[in-house]
Amino acid sequence: MVEALEKLDKELFIYINGLHSTFWDGFMIFMSEKLVWIPFYLAIIGYLVFRYRRQSIPMLLLVLTAIGLSDFIASGIFKPYFTRLRPCHDPELAAVINIVKGCGGQFGFMSSHAATTFALAVFFNLVLPDRYLLFKIVLVTWAVLICYSRVYLGVHYPTDVLAGALVGTLMAYLAALGYRYLVNKFPYFYR
């Protein structure tokens, strides 16, 4: 069963990685660049501070905790433990892989990009009111596109990003529970 899953993972990787064009190469590089998203993050922080005032402090601290834990679990625990080569470092795939821009570190299981983006997207999906539905959809779409870009660029297998997304989702869920606890425990803080 494990062998069948690994085979499917590689086949899906080869298919997604083979869907190249000049436009999509540039778009996927843009999606994977961490520094490109700094204005996006600053806009979220600015809006939360403006809209939620004091309530934004625990909200921001908990989302940062979820993101930090997700990154630590993916890069600090799973990658060194499993030592699964990234597809771009796998000699078996050398003849078929299309490396668009660099390869990254040696090991890829699990994707830190997936873990951290899903931690952010899921946390705000859980804690923000329903009136932010469009923003919630944008966040999840953004996280999915970043995950897809990691496979497209040849630096992660689909299971790397899926596992990262699951860890990010779990950390976001726990952080959202913490946030709800604080809201209920200290209601005067949220007026």
Side-chain angles (χ1 to χ4, degrees), residues 85-188:
L85 291 176
R86 289 179 184 265
C88 49
H89 288 302
D90 189 339
E92 290 180 25
L93 297 175
V96 295
I97 193 169
N98 185 7
I99 301 171
V100 180
K101 182 186 175 193
C103 188
Q106 186 176 11
F107 304 121
F109 185 80
M110 64 183 55
S111 168
S112 296
H113 276 77
T116 57
T117 56
F118 265 85
L120 185 137
V122 172
F123 177 81
F124 286 122
N125 267 270
L126 293 172
V127 302
L128 291 177
D130 290 340
R131 69 177 175 268
Y132 291 102
L133 179 62
L134 180 60
F135 179 63
K136 292 177 176 187
I137 292 169
V138 166
L139 283 176
V140 171
T141 303
W142 164 77
V144 168
L145 281 172
I146 287 177
C147 289
Y148 182 83
S149 76
R150 304 307 288 161
V151 178
Y152 178 96
L153 294 172
V155 296
H156 283 293
Y157 290 104
T159 53
D160 296 346
V161 296
L162 180 60
L166 290 173
V167 164
T169 298
L170 177 62
M171 293 302 106
Y173 176 75
L174 295 174
L177 285 178
Y179 179 75
R180 293 285 178 222
Y181 172 79
L182 291 173
V183 168
N184 291 328
K185 184 80 170 164
F186 306 103
Y188 58 89

Side-chain angles (χ1 to χ4, degrees), residues 33-48:
E33 288 293 329
K34 291 178 184 177
L35 297 179
V36 164
W37 297 106
I38 290 174
F40 178 64
Y41 302 140
L42 292 175
I44 291 173
I45 292 167
Y47 179 77
L48 290 173

